[in-house]
Amino acid sequence: DAGITQSPRHKVTETGTPVTLRCHQTENHRYMYWYRQDPGHGLRLIHYSYGVKDTDKGEVSDGYSVSRSKTEDFLLTLESATSSQTSVYFCAIRAGTDNSPLHFGNGTRLTVT
Amino acid sequence: TQLLEQSPQFLSIQEGENLTVYCNSSSVFSSLQWYRQEPGEGPVLLVTVVTGGEVKKLKRLTFQFGDARKDSSLHITAAQPGDTGLYLCAGVRASNYQLIWGAGTKLIIKP
């Protein structure tokens, strides 16, 4: 199994508070992704990174920011959480951009009350 | 906009039956990946199909990539309760290698 760890696994927070989710990999893969998964929507890309300090927006990036200061860590921040950001968040890593598959962490279930 | 239509969204069948899940698009993909996800876990890759018309078999699971590389199917023969899960398809865009995800098929196999 790919070495990818997400923390925390569960979090409950209040509307308006900042939240940071962490993704840590031990595979030295260049590409890292943050997705959210909601019923009926499948996986939607929030942000991705193609190297240290190199990030780009996905299809649902509003309200989220990311940082990647080291190859192994990719942080997702909700500056001011809203109820619409209640979701399950998955981090994924990828060795290359050809037909390489994604390897996923086990997710963070975030509830914003 | 859902660029990769996956159907059915939900399927509940008896053990021993056969089933097929479809992923269809108007876009051409470099390849198509199938994942399976169990509750509380992230998706795990089952197979990647790359060549138009390619057929890959994984025990009772048969994956096919359309000749035009716009669609794919997953066929399960003699389904078993252990096949229960969420099945996701993802097309790899030929232009930039980004993944386009289907909405998933939730499969329940009843004993």
Side-chain angles (χ1 to χ4, degrees), chain B residues 21-42:
Chain B
V21 178
Y22 300 93
C23 277
N24 297 296
S25 177
S26 57
S27 302
V28 175
F29 295 114
S30 172
S31 65
L32 199 131
Q33 301 171 356
W34 284 92
Y35 293 78
R36 181 180 158 202
Q37 184 179 16
E38 300 197 31
E41 299 182 5

Side-chain angles (χ1 to χ4, degrees), chain B residues 31-107:
Chain B
S31 65
L32 199 131
Q33 301 171 356
W34 284 92
Y35 293 78
R36 181 180 158 202
Q37 184 179 16
E38 300 197 31
E41 299 182 5
V44 175
L45 181 74
L46 292 173
V47 78
T48 300
V49 284
V50 180
T51 306
E54 183 177 5
V55 176
K56 280 191 174 179
K57 292 192 174 183
L58 206 64
K59 297 183 181 179
R60 293 174 294 99
L61 278 61
T62 301
F63 303 85
Q64 186 163 7
F65 201 15
D67 291 341
R69 306 206 319 275
K70 294 181 179 181
D71 54 84
S72 183
S73 64
L74 157 61
H75 183 77
I76 301 179
T77 303
Q80 297 179 0
D83 295 327
T84 292
L86 179 67
Y87 290 80
L88 296 158
C89 60
V92 179
R93 270 184 170 157
S95 57
N96 58 10
Y97 293 104
Q98 292 281 14
L99 269 69
I100 307 299
W101 291 88
T105 295
K106 185 172 184 180
L107 178 62

